[in-house]
Amino acid sequence: ELIHEIGVGPIRAVVRDLTEDLIARAVGAGLRPKVHADPAARSAIVMIPAADPAAQVRRLAAERIVADARPGHVRLSPFFYNLPEDNDAAIVALTG
């Protein structure tokens, strides 16, 4: 119901902007996010390489950040209800 109220187009734009913000913050922190090279072809999934993804996901969970462990990566997926500050908190938790 909420998605219909807001509209798919505006949600897609917010998600795109949040995803690009997350990628920029990750790169700025010295991380090498695994994403499609072409921004127009990206999804809202940002894979951050990690030696121990499960430990990183637990660390993020302790900060109330939802993420998932994938082989060799932490998966972050911003959505329209997130804020740029959420991206910052995730990167700080991953690098701190």
Side-chain angles (χ1 to χ4, degrees):
E1 197 173 289
L2 181 61
I3 290 172
H4 288 294
E5 182 180 323
I6 297 170
V8 173
I11 289 172
R12 191 172 286 143
V14 168
V15 171
R16 180 197 61 234
D17 292 348
L18 285 168
T19 300
E20 294 305 312
D21 177 73
L22 177 58
I23 293 166
R25 289 174 190 267
V27 169
L31 301 173
R32 300 185 71 187
K34 184 177 179 183
V35 294
H36 197 286
D38 178 5
R42 291 182 182 152
S43 70
I45 296 172
V46 179
M47 303 289 280
I48 306 291
D52 187 349
Q56 291 287 50
V57 168
R58 286 190 300 274
R59 185 176 186 174
L60 290 163
E63 298 295 325
R64 301 179 51 136
I65 299 167
V66 177
D68 192 21
R70 299 296 167 97
H73 295 84
V74 172
R75 178 184 185 260
L76 297 168
S77 303
F79 202 45
F80 75 96
Y81 44 71
N82 290 112
L83 301 169
E85 292 83 2
D86 298 326
N87 289 343
D88 185 51
I91 298 304
V92 168
L94 287 170
T95 59

